[in-house]
């Protein structure tokens, strides 16, 4: 918590420290960290969004944190928004985080139930300007289709299959 600039500065420092496994463990074990990072994704500050997306991506590399991260607030929606409208760096980090998080069955179910997120990902996959954002959107949607199934997944699959982007 604290003033926005203090949080931004702290997030930038944490990104610098995030190459250290001990720092990443401490970050993951500190209650409320994921919630603060998700909140920072939605801030107007570009550096805050980029730092939060980077840290969430790095945390999502650890399979054991994926369900918890995905269940935090509006995490999947905020990551999707960053993929859609963030800076190139935020798009890449948020997109890679989504691809990692969607590997978790709980997150697949969460995403499949969120029509807004599905629609944003479909739009990015079909119309996005960033090749990385498109790849991540398609990869995330394919994981959802393969993992969840059902009528909604079939509808998504039909749209994804029409895309000629690999």
């Amino acid at each position: 918590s604290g003033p926005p600039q203090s949080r931004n500065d702290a997030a930038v420092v944490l990104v610098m420290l995030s190459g250290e496994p001990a720092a990443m463990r401490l970050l993951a074990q500190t209650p409320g960290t994921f919630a603060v990072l998700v909140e920072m994704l939605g801030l107007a500050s570009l550096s805050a969004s980029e730092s939060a997306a980077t840290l969430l991506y790095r945390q999502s590399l650890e399979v054991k944190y994926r369900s918890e991260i995905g269940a935090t607030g509006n995490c999947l929606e905020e990551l999707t928004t960053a993929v859609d409208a963030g800076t190139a760096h935020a798009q890449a980090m948020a997109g890679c985080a989504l691809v990692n998080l969607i590997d978790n069955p709980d997150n697949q179910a969460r995403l499949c139930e969120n029509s807004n997120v599905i629609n944003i990902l479909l739009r990015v996959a079909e119309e996005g300007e960033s090749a990385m954002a498109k790849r991540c959107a398609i990869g995330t949607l394919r994981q959802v289709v393969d993992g969840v199934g059902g009528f909604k997944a079939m509808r998504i699959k039909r749209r994804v299959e029409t895309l000629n982007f690999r």
Side-chain angles (χ1 to χ4, degrees), residues 50 53-58 79 83 88-98 132:
E50 288 178 353
T54 300
L55 289 165
L56 287 167
Y57 162 67
R58 291 183 180 166
L79 285 169
V83 169
H89 180 79
Q91 286 179 333
M93 292 294 101
C96 290
L98 268 176
M132 179 64 139

Side-chain angles (χ1 to χ4, degrees), residues 1-11:
S1 189
Q5 187 56 47
S6 297
R7 286 189 304 210
N8 293 354
D9 294 344

Side-chain angles (χ1 to χ4, degrees), residues 96-140:
C96 290
L98 268 176
V99 170
N100 288 340
L101 293 175
I102 212 62
D103 186 50
N104 176 277
D106 294 335
N107 291 334
Q108 289 174 5
R110 285 182 194 104
L111 195 137
C112 196
E113 293 305 312
N114 190 327
S115 297
N116 187 43
V117 170
I118 295 291
N119 289 334
I120 292 170
L121 288 172
L122 284 166
R123 186 174 41 72
V124 169
E126 293 168 342
E127 304 167 9
E129 293 180 20
S130 161
M132 179 64 139
K134 288 178 92 164
R135 277 190 203 101
C136 291
I138 291 169
T140 300

